[in-house]
Structure formats: C-alpha cells, structure tokens
Amino acid sequence: MLLELLSDILEIDDVLLIVKNNGAVSEVRSNSLGIRQKEKWITIGDNDGPAHIHIDSELIKSAEFVQEEKPERTSFSVRFHDKSGERVFAAFFTKMYDDSKKIISERKNIYDRLNQKYGSLIKF
C-alpha cells in the first residue's frame, strides 16, 4: 500500500517531497517524477537524474494526512513515519492558495479525495 500511496501522490503536480534530519534537508518537486520498487527499496525519480529519493519500505510504518493551521493559511501534507513515530519524509501540497490567499478548491479537493481513499492514518 505504501507504493500505491506514493504513486498517487506523485501523479499530483506541485507536491514538495521533503526528507529532513538534524543535519540536512532535501526537497524534490513531484512534477514528472517516476517511481519504482526493487525489493525493499522504493526509488522516486530517475537514478541518473539530478535528484531522486531512495526509501526503505520496510522502515516506513505509517503515514498521516495532516492539515496544520498557520497564521495566514493551512498547510496540507502526508507525513511518513518510522516505528518510533519519527517523521522520515513528507509530501507537502503546494500552490493551494491564489494570490488573494483564498484556498483553491480544486487543489483542496485533490487532497481531500486522497485522504478519503486512504484514511487519515495509514499503517503499513
């Protein structure tokens, strides 16, 4: 189900994939990224391209749809966690608001449909 969820996310334009730890942050846009799995490793992007992500599918134990209230807007993401509940990486839905800071209903509907398909908290 992890591969299916990631594949669905990658079909959506303007999603920012973020891998973060104490010493570094990597950000990759979802636009035109491929995905494949070989054994336990899921690769997002082209191995020979300028940026790609390798995910150990055995270490990802859950995913959660998160709507986080900010002072001027709400951020929308899917966050992937390990067995300790630590965030391993996240997919942030960008370009959710127009120039007047009004939510774009089409973008919100895409997020909501994905959330409905998988549920707010997914265990792998």
Side-chain angles (χ1 to χ4, degrees):
M1 186 181 318
L2 175 60
L3 181 64
E4 181 183 350
L5 174 57
L6 288 170
S7 295
D8 284 351
I9 290 170
L10 291 176
E11 289 179 5
I12 302 166
D13 286 340
D14 299 313
V15 173
L16 187 62
L17 303 172
I18 299 177
V19 180
K20 181 179 178 181
N21 68 32
N22 290 335
V25 174
S26 174
E27 299 180 346
V28 179
R29 291 252 172 232
S30 65
N31 305 24
S32 302
L33 289 177
I35 186 169
R36 65 190 174 287
Q37 184 167 3
K38 185 177 180 183
E39 298 170 3
K40 69 177 185 172
W41 291 99
I42 296 173
T43 301
I44 298 174
D46 182 5
N47 238 2
D48 297 324
H52 58 277
I53 301 170
H54 297 291
I55 299 165
D56 184 339
S57 64
E58 294 176 355
L59 296 181
I60 305 301
K61 299 300 180 186
S62 66
E64 180 180 19
F65 283 78
V66 177
Q67 295 183 44
E68 186 175 6
E69 298 295 327
K70 305 276 182 155
E72 293 184 9
R73 61 180 172 76
T74 300
S75 72
F76 299 87
S77 64
V78 181
R79 300 177 188 188
F80 297 83
H81 303 96
D82 63 15
K83 67 181 179 184
S84 301
E86 294 295 317
R87 188 176 103 187
V88 177
F89 70 100
F92 284 87
F93 289 63
T94 63
K95 299 187 180 179
M96 297 290 286
Y97 293 87
D98 64 17
D99 292 338
S100 62
K101 297 183 182 175
K102 183 179 175 196
I103 194 149
I104 300 169
S105 61
E106 296 85 12
R107 296 283 296 161
K108 176 74 165 61
N109 289 339
I110 290 170
Y111 179 86
D112 288 342
R113 281 193 302 271
L114 201 60
N115 189 349
Q116 289 173 352
K117 178 178 179 179
Y118 291 98
S120 295
L121 180 62
I122 307 115
K123 300 283 185 181
F124 301 112

